mmCIF file of all heavy atoms in Angstrom:
data_model
loop_
_atom_site.group_PDB
_atom_site.id
_atom_site.type_symbol
_atom_site.label_atom_id
_atom_site.label_comp_id
_atom_site.label_asym_id
_atom_site.label_seq_id
_atom_site.Cartn_x
_atom_site.Cartn_y
_atom_site.Cartn_z
ATOM 1 N N HIS A 179 -1.284 1.572 6.576
ATOM 2 C CA HIS A 179 -1.970 2.544 5.814
ATOM 3 C C HIS A 179 -3.082 1.911 4.903
ATOM 4 O O HIS A 179 -3.080 0.721 4.708
ATOM 5 C CB HIS A 179 -1.030 3.382 4.839
ATOM 6 C CG HIS A 179 -0.292 2.606 3.831
ATOM 7 N ND1 HIS A 179 0.977 2.024 3.975
ATOM 8 C CD2 HIS A 179 -0.664 2.270 2.587
ATOM 9 C CE1 HIS A 179 1.364 1.453 2.955
ATOM 10 N NE2 HIS A 179 0.362 1.597 2.008
ATOM 11 N N CYS A 181 -4.546 2.741 1.147
ATOM 12 C CA CYS A 181 -4.127 3.515 -0.073
ATOM 13 C C CYS A 181 -5.307 3.845 -1.001
ATOM 14 O O CYS A 181 -6.129 3.039 -1.284
ATOM 15 C CB CYS A 181 -3.094 2.697 -0.897
ATOM 16 S SG CYS A 181 -2.482 3.596 -2.341
ATOM 17 N N GLU A 227 -2.284 6.572 2.212
ATOM 18 C CA GLU A 227 -1.346 6.738 1.170
ATOM 19 C C GLU A 227 -2.105 7.140 -0.139
ATOM 20 O O GLU A 227 -3.166 6.540 -0.425
ATOM 21 C CB GLU A 227 -0.594 5.388 0.889
ATOM 22 C CG GLU A 227 0.415 5.402 -0.293
ATOM 23 C CD GLU A 227 1.032 4.018 -0.445
ATOM 24 O OE1 GLU A 227 0.323 3.047 -0.902
ATOM 25 O OE2 GLU A 227 2.130 3.869 -0.111
ATOM 26 N N HIS A 251 -5.521 -0.336 -1.969
ATOM 27 C CA HIS A 251 -5.073 -1.497 -1.154
ATOM 28 C C HIS A 251 -5.004 -1.068 0.324
ATOM 29 O O HIS A 251 -5.131 0.112 0.623
ATOM 30 C CB HIS A 251 -3.696 -2.055 -1.677
ATOM 31 C CG HIS A 251 -2.619 -1.035 -1.561
ATOM 32 N ND1 HIS A 251 -2.232 -0.251 -2.605
ATOM 33 C CD2 HIS A 251 -1.801 -0.716 -0.471
ATOM 34 C CE1 HIS A 251 -1.168 0.545 -2.176
ATOM 35 N NE2 HIS A 251 -0.898 0.279 -0.947
ATOM 36 N N CYS A 253 -2.626 -1.952 3.850
ATOM 37 C CA CYS A 253 -1.236 -2.381 4.179
ATOM 38 C C CYS A 253 -1.196 -2.799 5.718
ATOM 39 O O CYS A 253 -1.322 -1.950 6.528
ATOM 40 C CB CYS A 253 -0.217 -1.288 3.838
ATOM 41 S SG CYS A 253 1.465 -1.749 4.321
ATOM 42 N N SER A 283 6.543 2.858 1.810
ATOM 43 C CA SER A 283 6.400 2.744 3.272
ATOM 44 C C SER A 283 7.346 1.834 3.912
ATOM 45 O O SER A 283 7.319 1.583 5.106
ATOM 46 C CB SER A 283 4.892 2.312 3.585
ATOM 47 O OG SER A 283 4.618 1.056 2.886
ATOM 48 N N PHE A 288 3.231 -7.666 -2.022
ATOM 49 C CA PHE A 288 1.855 -7.573 -2.253
ATOM 50 C C PHE A 288 1.260 -9.046 -2.331
ATOM 51 O O PHE A 288 1.817 -9.890 -2.967
ATOM 52 C CB PHE A 288 1.472 -6.906 -3.528
ATOM 53 C CG PHE A 288 1.524 -5.285 -3.336
ATOM 54 C CD1 PHE A 288 2.669 -4.649 -3.665
ATOM 55 C CD2 PHE A 288 0.442 -4.731 -2.852
ATOM 56 C CE1 PHE A 288 2.587 -3.182 -3.543
ATOM 57 C CE2 PHE A 288 0.350 -3.251 -2.725
ATOM 58 C CZ PHE A 288 1.504 -2.620 -3.060
ATOM 59 N N GLU A 300 -1.031 -5.202 0.904
ATOM 60 C CA GLU A 300 0.348 -5.015 1.047
ATOM 61 C C GLU A 300 0.813 -5.390 2.320
ATOM 62 O O GLU A 300 0.082 -5.137 3.351
ATOM 63 C CB GLU A 300 0.649 -3.549 0.693
ATOM 64 C CG GLU A 300 2.075 -3.078 0.776
ATOM 65 C CD GLU A 300 2.235 -1.553 0.476
ATOM 66 O OE1 GLU A 300 1.367 -0.808 0.630
ATOM 67 O OE2 GLU A 300 3.412 -1.204 0.068
HETATM 68 ZN ZN1 LIG B 62 0.740 1.008 0.137
#
Side-chain angles (χ1 to χ4, degrees):
H179 62 266
C181 178
E227 178 182 69
H251 64 264
C253 177
S283 53
F288 280 97
E300 179 181 22

